[in-house]
Amino acid sequence: QVQLVESGGGLVQSGGSLRLSCAASGGILNIVAMGWYRQAPGKQRELVAIIRSVGSTNYADSVKGRFTISRDNAKNTVYLQMNSLKPEDTAVYYCMVAAGETNWGKGTPVTVSS
């Protein structure tokens, strides 16, 4: 059974940084893409960043220039380096792994105080 374990969330002041990690286990094969989504209170889940097996990336306009997604294929792990955090980045961040089917982590909360 596929398991995604996220870590790195927490409370940070505006302008600060956090690094999220998500390790996939359970015999995942042929990963097509790994990414991060977020859901703020009262809002829909939205894409933050995605990285494909070929290495291409996409970012939400709101995080371009501040967030960087990367992956370690050997460890089936995806990272999200978040710099210059803003209060509007406050949300629960979910890891996503696409490998035949879409798998989701349980989410890690990020709170940015002003």
Side-chain angles (χ1 to χ4, degrees), residues 2-73:
V2 173
Q3 284 190 320
L4 303 181
V5 179
E6 299 138 325
S7 62
L11 173 64
V12 65
Q13 288 188 333
S14 181
S17 298
L18 285 173
R19 187 189 194 212
L20 305 183
S21 299
C22 172
S25 62
I28 292 184
L29 300 176
N30 300 321
I31 294 177
V32 175
M34 304 178 81
W36 292 93
Y37 286 70
R38 68 186 180 187
Q39 187 166 17
K43 294 187 177 181
Q44 290 187 331
R45 189 174 297 188
E46 63 175 359
L47 173 68
V48 176
I50 190 168
I51 182 166
R52 299 174 186 82
S53 58
V54 295
S56 61
T57 58
N58 284 99
Y59 294 89
D61 287 343
S62 59
V63 307
K64 284 180 181 176
R66 301 188 297 123
F67 291 10
T68 302
I69 190 170
S70 61
R71 61 187 286 181
D72 184 331
N73 291 330

